[in-house]
Amino acid sequence: MKNSKLIIIAATLIIWWQHVSLAQGFVNLDFESVIPPLVPSPGGFVPASNALPGWTAYLGGNPQTGVYYNSFALDAAAVILEDPASGFSIIQGSYSVYLQSATIGVPSGSSLSAGIGQTGMIPSDAMSVFFVAGFGVPQVTFAGQEIQVTALGASSGYTLYGGDVSMFANQTGELLFSVTRQGSTRQQVLLDNIYFSPSAVPEPSALSLLALGLLGLGWRQWGKVRT
């Protein structure tokens, strides 16, 4: 357990330390740019443009004007902005995004998938995209092409994933994170901390070797970036 925590901490620090500015082609990748106030409608929705600035919420591939806030859909597919008041252990900061597909019991013709997407240009020197997720693994695509992701380390129930985006460098398209029902199985994921990096996706074993050496140096840089 101790080693796995060092792996995810070290990997996250590496991503921040190496050219955090690579994310300039996209916005609100940590979901912290909420536009308040978020006052749910009687149906539990808040404007998607306020809850997730820069992102488009999708159900069944169709754009949505509203998303749930601190809620949970029993059967239907949903995009939900969660803060600590929801009871979820938020991954980082004040907000994380929860995607859930529909269950087997939804009416015929209902949306089975949920996702969020944002259109931007992958930086010319980006090699990888990283994110942290819990409960499951989203499908990740760029301009309709799937990005294969690798689990790099886990801590406190959440896992750091990385995927190769070098083939998309300097291209403009939609980066999409989604879940869809697999047979009778509902898919769900809590998502946060999306980053681009100029480094290739590292091997988990390599991260464990680097963890101790980079922890002190990276933590000091982490503090500078976040202030």
Side-chain angles (χ1 to χ4, degrees), residues 13-24:
L13 293 175
I14 293 168
I15 299 164
W16 272 92
W17 186 32
Q18 295 182 333
H19 303 286
V20 176
S21 61
L22 279 180
Q24 289 178 353

Side-chain angles (χ1 to χ4, degrees), residues 24-186:
Q24 289 178 353
F26 292 84
V27 299
N28 193 27
L29 295 179
D30 57 1
F31 309 125
E32 297 299 307
S33 299
V34 168
I35 302 173
L38 295 179
V39 180
S41 68
F45 293 98
V46 296
S49 57
N50 286 19
L52 297 170
W55 294 91
T56 299
Y58 293 100
L59 295 180
N62 299 310
Q64 304 294 304
T65 59
V67 299
Y68 283 111
Y69 178 46
N70 284 350
S71 185
F72 183 87
L74 293 178
D75 297 306
V79 176
I80 309 166
L81 181 69
E82 307 281 8
D83 68 21
S86 69
F88 278 96
S89 179
I90 302 305
I91 296 175
Q92 180 270 332
S94 298
Y95 301 96
S96 295
V97 171
Y98 183 55
L99 305 176
Q100 59 180 96
S101 71
T103 68
I104 194 67
V106 298
S108 176
S110 298
S111 299
L112 300 182
S113 64
I116 56 170
Q118 182 175 161
T119 298
M121 186 179 73
I122 301 291
S124 59
D125 53 351
M127 294 287 290
S128 309
V129 62
F130 295 86
F131 61 92
V132 181
F135 305 118
V137 187
Q139 181 184 40
V140 186
T141 62
F142 179 76
Q145 300 184 57
E146 186 171 4
I147 299 171
Q148 297 292 333
V149 299
T150 301
L152 300 173
S155 177
S156 302
Y158 302 117
T159 301
L160 174 69
Y161 294 92
D164 183 5
V165 296
S166 58
M167 72 290 291
F168 304 123
N170 216 31
Q171 295 183 30
T172 298
E174 184 176 52
L175 181 67
L176 178 68
F177 295 82
S178 63
V179 294
T180 190
R181 193 179 76 195
Q182 302 296 319
S184 61
T185 304
R186 171 176 244 179

Side-chain angles (χ1 to χ4, degrees), residues 1 60 84 125 142-143 154 197 205:
M1 179 63 71
D125 53 351
F142 179 76
S197 171
S205 59

